[in-house]
């Protein structure tokens, strides 16, 4: 059994080779994600199980709860909460740009973590500047009540003992100005910084 959060290539790029190599494997994902996959790939739909936030499904040794992360960049995105370990797999949410490779967020100074967290989540989820504060807060509170012991983001290192910090930071995200990507002038500067030879 494999679980696919959404169709972005950094999450789904190896899907077809895995399904081919594991001929009896079942793919668990969201209906919207499946629809987008079928636009480009031949996914064996007789091996697909679709799930929605709030639903549960069983693996060989545990039951997992499907969740909607508080922020996401694809409409079908689903994450997981494992009651057995209290682990929250938050997909893209709670990721952060970090100044160097670390094994755990406890190794990152608070100011660097907060800055990298805000930069990543504003860039990957620019719509947060448009959301209703109460509705967003309710979505966060629902996940917070699960009391995850560790947050596992696809774009970050395991966050042990930092749940409250990350949820508090996420709650302030919607008050920030929208992310603005580099324009052509800044892009030319960045190419120079990256050592690109014209």
């Amino acid at each position: 059994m494999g679980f696919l959060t959404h169709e972005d290539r950094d999450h789904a790029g190896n899907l077809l080779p895995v399904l081919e190599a594991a001929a009896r494997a079942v793919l668990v994902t969201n209906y919207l994600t499946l629809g987008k996959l079928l636009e480009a790939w031949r996914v064996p739909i007789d091996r697909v199980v679709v799930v929605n936030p709030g639903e549960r499904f069983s693996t060989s040794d545990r039951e997992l709860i499907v969740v909607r992360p508080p922020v996401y960049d694809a409409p079908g995105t689903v994450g997981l909460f494992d009651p057995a370990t209290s682990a929250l797999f938050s997909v893209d949410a709670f990721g952060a740009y970090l100044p160097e490779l670390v094994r755990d967020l406890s190794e990152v100074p608070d100011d660097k973590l907060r800055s990298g967290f805000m930069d990543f989540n504003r860039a990957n989820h620019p719509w947060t500047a448009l959301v209703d504060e109460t509705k967003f807060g309710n979505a966060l509170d629902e996940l917070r009540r699960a009391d995850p012991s560790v947050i596992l983001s696809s774009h970050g290192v395991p966050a042990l003992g930092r749940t409250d910090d990350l949820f508090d930071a996420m709650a302030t995200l919607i008050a920030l100005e929208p992310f603005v990507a580099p324009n052509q002038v800044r892009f030319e500067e960045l190419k120079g910084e990256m050592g690109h030879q014209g």
Side-chain angles (χ1 to χ4, degrees):
M1 177 177 290
F3 183 79
L4 180 63
T5 60
H6 61 302
E7 73 279 1
D8 287 359
R9 292 300 172 105
D10 59 329
H11 296 259
N14 288 330
L15 175 62
L16 294 185
V18 167
L19 288 175
E20 184 175 338
R24 294 189 306 164
V26 173
L27 171 64
V28 180
T29 194
N30 183 271
Y31 184 80
L32 293 176
T33 296
L34 176 62
K36 290 180 178 262
L37 288 173
L38 291 173
E39 291 175 358
W41 296 345
R42 294 178 63 103
V43 177
I45 60 174
D46 58 324
R47 294 169 58 193
V48 175
V49 174
V50 295
V51 293
N52 286 312
E55 295 180 353
R56 297 170 180 254
F57 68 95
S58 296
T59 68
S60 60
D61 66 344
R62 70 190 63 209
E63 186 175 66
L64 301 171
I65 302 171
V66 182
V67 298
R68 167 73 85 179
V71 292
Y72 45 87
D73 64 357
T77 299
V78 284
L80 293 173
F81 180 71
D82 179 5
T85 61
S86 295
L88 172 64
F89 181 53
S90 64
V91 196
D92 292 344
F94 300 104
Y97 297 126
L98 300 177
E100 58 189 5
L101 291 175
V102 296
R103 290 185 177 273
D104 187 276
L105 283 186
S106 63
E107 302 174 41
V108 183
D110 287 346
D111 61 330
K112 298 290 188 188
L113 173 57
R114 190 160 184 101
S115 173
F117 178 92
M118 293 303 181
D119 288 347
F120 174 81
N121 284 282
R122 284 175 61 232
N124 207 49
H125 321 291
W127 53 265
T128 54
L130 307 174
V131 304
D132 178 90
E133 183 176 355
T134 300
K135 290 180 179 179
F136 190 71
N138 290 341
L140 275 179
D141 288 345
E142 183 176 348
L143 280 180
R144 196 191 290 254
R145 281 193 293 274
D147 195 24
S149 61
V150 59
I151 296 178
L152 305 169
S153 172
S154 299
H155 298 283
V157 296
L160 287 159
R162 300 298 294 262
T163 300
D164 287 338
D165 295 338
L166 293 178
F167 273 91
D168 291 345
M170 185 66 76
T172 66
L173 185 66
I174 62 174
L176 300 179
E177 290 296 314
F179 171 77
V180 177
N183 61 14
Q184 184 63 33
V185 171
R186 178 61 181 140
F187 179 56
E188 294 298 330
E189 295 171 351
L190 289 171
K191 285 197 296 187
E193 293 170 16
M194 291 184 279
H196 178 77
Q197 301 295 322

